[in-house]
Amino acid sequence: MKSARSAKPSISAAALAALLLAGGAVSCGTEEAPAMSPAAAVAEAAKNTEDISSLRYRMKGEIPQQGHVEAEASLRTKPSMAMSMQMSALDQGPEGTVEIRLVDKAMYIGGGPEMAKEMDGKSWMKFDLSALGADKEMNQLGAAGTAEKNPAAETALLTGAEDVERVGTEKVDGVQTTRYSGTVTLDEFRDSLKDEDRATRERREKSLDQYEKMGVDEITMDMWVDGEDRTKQFRVRGKADGGPLDLTITFLDVNEPVKVTAPPAGEVADLAEMMRESGA
């Protein structure tokens, strides 16, 4: 794409993967109460996610149709929504590295020098959802839906599993943890929500969106819980329409300050303006 006025904007596969999978975090109960069953510990974990207002995490694994990926992200849900993620699709070479920022309800996708070659020197593309009138369309890609919820809710999926078990104790990044594991279908998870209040039910059902988009029907999840009753790491595995899903997310910190700023205006191509100028 050679001209910001006449070019047809596009998003790399790696960017879409990052939009769809902007990670997750959760708090979780351990064996502080010896009599607590694995299922009860997981249920307690889901409740603890409500207090997480910001988090930083690392993501590594395999995403259907995208191959092997690595990413690090920060997200804040209060007092306002903000997100920053740097992601590399390792099988796609230089074009597979992208950065995503969500600031003031606008999504920015940065492709660095590779994008600048195709965008007349602009290394960032801005998606202002309200200006584009494309809130629903972008939500179908996972952008708005993923960014506008606390991904801490992801591990609530394990509350729907009937085979949750305590696997043992392991160290993750030097931290002693207790590991839990279980398998759940999306239908089983939905069924497990029937006794929850409406707000909790709607919040947890959002966790299903990204898996349904990938065509995943059943998920195997492992959770590593530290001594402070917080999940240090979790892993999700499943078979999707486009190949295997095997993603591990490690939590670096929660409820710490997160600041995200928009890219310099001179480096940004505004998709809404480009579309207006081209009459699209």
Side-chain angles (χ1 to χ4, degrees), residues 1 3-5 7-9 119 125 269-280:
M1 173 158 43
S3 170
R5 176 180 295 273
K8 180 180 180 180
M119 296 293 298
M125 177 74 78
D270 191 321
L271 180 61
E273 292 182 1
M274 293 168 63
M275 294 181 71
R276 282 195 295 267
E277 291 175 359
S278 65

Side-chain angles (χ1 to χ4, degrees), residues 10-22 59 63-66 69 85 87 89 92 95-100 107 109 115 127 137-138 140-144 146 210 213-214:
S10 62
I11 311 174
S12 71
L16 288 179
L19 288 171
L20 287 167
L21 291 165
M59 182 170 68
I63 299 174
Q65 298 182 334
Q66 309 305 324
V69 299
M85 171 181 279
M87 178 177 178
Q92 298 180 21
E95 294 184 356
T97 298
V98 297
E99 181 177 353
I100 294 178
M107 187 79 72
I109 298 179
M115 179 179 285
F127 296 84
E137 288 80 357
M138 289 298 291
Q140 289 172 357
L141 292 176
T146 299
Q210 60 183 334
K213 288 183 176 73
M214 289 186 287

Side-chain angles (χ1 to χ4, degrees), residues 79-275:
S80 61
M81 177 67 65
M83 179 188 73
S84 174
M85 171 181 279
Q86 291 182 316
M87 178 177 178
S88 294
L90 304 181
D91 300 333
Q92 298 180 21
E95 294 184 356
T97 298
V98 297
E99 181 177 353
I100 294 178
R101 298 183 192 178
L102 176 66
V103 184
D104 297 329
K105 297 183 180 181
M107 187 79 72
Y108 298 86
I109 298 179
E114 294 299 320
M115 179 179 285
K117 291 178 183 178
E118 304 296 327
M119 296 293 298
D120 289 342
K122 306 288 188 179
S123 56
W124 290 86
M125 177 74 78
K126 177 182 178 181
F127 296 84
D128 187 329
L129 304 186
S130 58
L132 287 169
D135 302 64
K136 292 182 180 179
E137 288 80 357
M138 289 298 291
N139 189 53
Q140 289 172 357
L141 292 176
T146 299
E148 293 178 358
K149 64 173 179 153
N150 188 341
E154 286 303 303
T155 49
L157 288 167
L158 198 54
T159 62
E162 297 181 356
D163 63 346
V164 180
E165 62 178 352
R166 179 184 182 276
V167 178
T169 58
E170 299 176 19
K171 280 192 174 181
V172 176
D173 281 352
V175 176
Q176 190 67 31
T177 67
T178 300
R179 179 180 175 184
Y180 296 95
S181 183
T183 300
V184 62
T185 66
L186 302 193
D187 288 340
E188 287 173 341
F189 180 65
R190 280 197 180 89
D191 188 60
S192 72
L193 299 176
K194 61 180 180 295
D195 295 327
E196 300 289 350
D197 62 81
R198 180 178 179 179
T200 299
R201 185 169 60 252
E202 291 179 350
R203 184 169 55 250
R204 294 183 180 177
E205 282 179 344
K206 289 182 180 179
S207 299
L208 302 176
D209 292 348
Q210 60 183 334
Y211 299 108
E212 290 181 328
K213 288 183 176 73
M214 289 186 287
V216 176
D217 297 320
E218 182 177 84
I219 295 170
T220 295
M221 180 173 286
D222 294 86
M223 295 168 58
W224 288 261
V225 183
D226 66 21
E228 296 183 352
D229 296 344
R230 295 191 182 278
T231 293
K232 178 63 178 174
Q233 180 173 277
F234 78 81
R235 179 185 183 189
V236 289
R237 288 169 287 162
K239 294 180 180 180
D241 292 341
L245 168 68
D246 189 348
L247 202 63
T248 298
I249 296 175
T250 305
F251 309 115
L252 307 178
D253 57 51
V254 297
N255 292 334
E256 295 293 333
V258 169
K259 183 178 180 180
V260 182
T261 58
E267 299 177 10
V268 177
D270 191 321
L271 180 61
E273 292 182 1
M274 293 168 63
M275 294 181 71

